[in-house]
């Protein structure tokens, strides 16, 4: 069998649909032992596959979680996370700006009924043979230089279909737990915007609700009222930044839109007790 190679390479690389690794769509990457990677998911959902090696992951309230070869995990939107590489590691990383369906006939909303007995935790999934084969072939395409945006989006859709076909609904409910609920479009709006709003009224206007209607909708979806939920989520991110970044307290204060260092200090004393 003759060797396979990508033809008309220049036409691919000069096309406006060509995706480079720094464009954060789908990345195959190597990490050297004892390196630390710090990143923010912003408005994307990130799915991180460990092909070889092992890492320690920390984000929000989850600290020092070990992920080993042939496991994958999800990072929700607007999340700062840190990855510590314990040995030379090979990974595939998917970035999803659009999410909500595993296929045309099955939305993530349909998994909400399976979350009743699932505890909030750092949930991982193991590769099965179909996922292994999928990632192996995808890596061949990437190494060949086949990096068309439309092709990569189709491959990400294929990955969702593989999840739908070869993992149980209970497994999927645990994996997608941070981003699923009764109304995934509302949850997505909240997760994508809560760090940028300064009041419940502003959030309600953004979501095109009255304040009372927004609070009722929010409580039904998250089990807390907006102000308390946002404070809790911010506190998790702030603690991560204090522990795992080199940002000064002054920088962190203004990164999270506190009006003054004094306000930030009072917040920390109230939440963390010091």
């Amino acid at each position: 069998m003759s060797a396979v190679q990508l033809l008309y390479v220049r036409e691919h690389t000069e096309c406006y649909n060509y995706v480079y690794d720094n464009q954060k769509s789908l990345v195959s990457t190597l990490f050297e032992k004892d390196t630390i990677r710090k990143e923010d998911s912003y408005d994307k959902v990130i799915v991180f596959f460990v092909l070889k090696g092992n890492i320690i992951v920390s984000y929000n309230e989850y600290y020092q979680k070990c992920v080993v070869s042939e496991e994958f995990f999800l990072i929700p939107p607007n999340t700062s996370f840190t990855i510590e590489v314990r040995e030379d590691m090979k990974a595939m990383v998917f970035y999803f700006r659009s999410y909500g369906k595993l296929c045309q006939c099955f939305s993530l909303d349909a998994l909400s009924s399976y979350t009743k007995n699932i505890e909030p935790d750092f949930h991982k999934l193991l590769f099965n043979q179909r996922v292994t084969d999928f990632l192996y072939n995808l890596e061949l395409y990437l190494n060949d230089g086949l990096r068309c945006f439309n092709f990569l989006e189709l491959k990400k859709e294929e990955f969702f279909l593989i999840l739908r076909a070869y993992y149980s609904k209970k497994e999927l409910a645990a994996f997608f737990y941070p981003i699923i609920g009764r109304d995934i479009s509302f949850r997505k709006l909240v997760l994508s915007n809560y760090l940028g709003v300064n009041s419940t009224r502003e959030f309600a206007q953004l979501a095109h609700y009255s304040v009372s209607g927004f609070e009722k909708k929010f409580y039904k979806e998250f089990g807390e009222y907006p102000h308390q939920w946002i404070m809790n989520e911010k506190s998790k991110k702030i603690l991560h930044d204090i522990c795992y970044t080199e940002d000064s307290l002054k920088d962190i204060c203004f990164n999270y839109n506190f009006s003054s260092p004094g306000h930030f200090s009072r917040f920390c004393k109230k939440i963390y007790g010091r």
Side-chain angles (χ1 to χ4, degrees), residues 83-260:
I83 292 175
E84 302 172 50
V85 183
R86 295 300 174 89
E87 60 183 69
D88 289 351
M89 189 266 289
K90 186 177 183 181
M92 189 84 73
V93 187
F94 290 3
Y95 298 83
F96 294 92
R97 187 182 299 275
S98 176
Y99 56 91
K101 291 185 177 182
L102 291 177
C103 70
Q104 289 297 316
C105 299
F106 193 88
S107 71
L108 292 181
D109 288 334
L111 294 172
S112 60
S113 61
Y114 293 86
T115 63
K116 294 177 182 177
N117 297 318
I118 295 175
E119 294 293 328
D121 201 351
F122 179 75
H123 295 285
K124 305 175 290 184
L125 286 176
L126 295 171
F127 289 16
N128 61 27
Q129 190 59 52
R130 296 295 175 263
V131 168
T132 299
D133 292 344
F134 167 76
L135 293 173
Y136 173 79
N137 285 297
L138 180 55
E139 186 176 27
L140 292 178
Y141 291 128
L142 293 175
N143 290 341
D144 287 344
L146 183 51
R147 294 169 176 260
C148 170
F149 172 82
N150 296 309
F151 173 74
L152 297 182
E153 290 301 299
L154 287 171
K155 299 307 288 183
K156 287 191 285 187
E157 288 184 21
E158 181 183 347
F159 166 66
F160 273 148
L161 283 167
I162 290 170
L163 290 183
R164 168 78 172 97
Y166 295 105
Y167 289 87
S168 72
K169 292 183 176 67
K170 186 175 180 180
E171 288 175 310
L172 295 176
F175 183 74
F176 288 108
Y177 186 86
I179 62 170
I180 60 177
R182 295 179 178 86
D183 186 340
I184 196 168
S185 60
F186 181 79
R187 180 170 286 258
K188 181 179 180 181
L189 181 143
V190 169
L191 293 175
S192 297
N193 293 284
Y194 75 90
L195 290 176
V197 297
N198 296 311
S199 68
T200 300
R201 181 176 297 278
E202 183 181 342
F203 216 160
Q205 290 175 343
L206 178 66
H208 304 293
Y209 281 85
S210 66
V211 172
S212 61
F214 180 75
E215 287 180 334
K216 290 177 182 177
K217 177 73 172 177
F218 198 101
Y219 189 86
K220 183 177 180 181
E221 183 65 28
F222 290 93
E224 291 181 285
Y225 287 106
H227 177 74
Q228 187 60 51
W229 184 88
I230 291 171
M231 292 284 282
N232 289 339
E233 293 302 307
K234 278 189 175 182
S235 71
K236 297 172 188 176
K237 290 176 65 63
I238 289 169
L239 187 58
H240 174 273
D241 289 358
I242 292 172
C243 294
Y244 290 99
T245 73
E246 297 177 358
D247 292 348
S248 67
L249 292 179
K250 182 178 179 180
D251 289 336
I252 294 171
C253 166
F254 291 108
N255 287 344
Y256 290 93
N257 299 316
F258 286 90
S259 58
S260 68

Side-chain angles (χ1 to χ4, degrees), residues 21-72:
D21 281 352
N22 62 2
Q23 292 176 284
K24 299 294 180 65
S25 174
L26 192 160
V27 177
S28 177
T29 188
L30 297 171
F31 296 95
E32 293 184 355
K33 180 181 178 180
D34 297 328
T35 59
I36 297 177
R37 171 182 177 141
K38 299 175 182 178
E39 193 172 331
D40 197 307
S41 60
Y42 298 106
D43 61 344
K44 299 181 179 69
V45 168
I46 298 176
V47 178
F48 201 103
F49 304 85
V50 178
L51 304 179
K52 178 183 177 182
N54 67 77
I55 58 175
I56 301 296
V57 182
S58 299
Y59 75 88
N60 291 349
E61 69 268 43
Y62 306 120
Y63 295 97
Q64 303 288 306
K65 299 296 184 179
C66 184
V67 185
V68 300
S69 179
E70 300 193 348
E71 291 183 335
F72 59 106

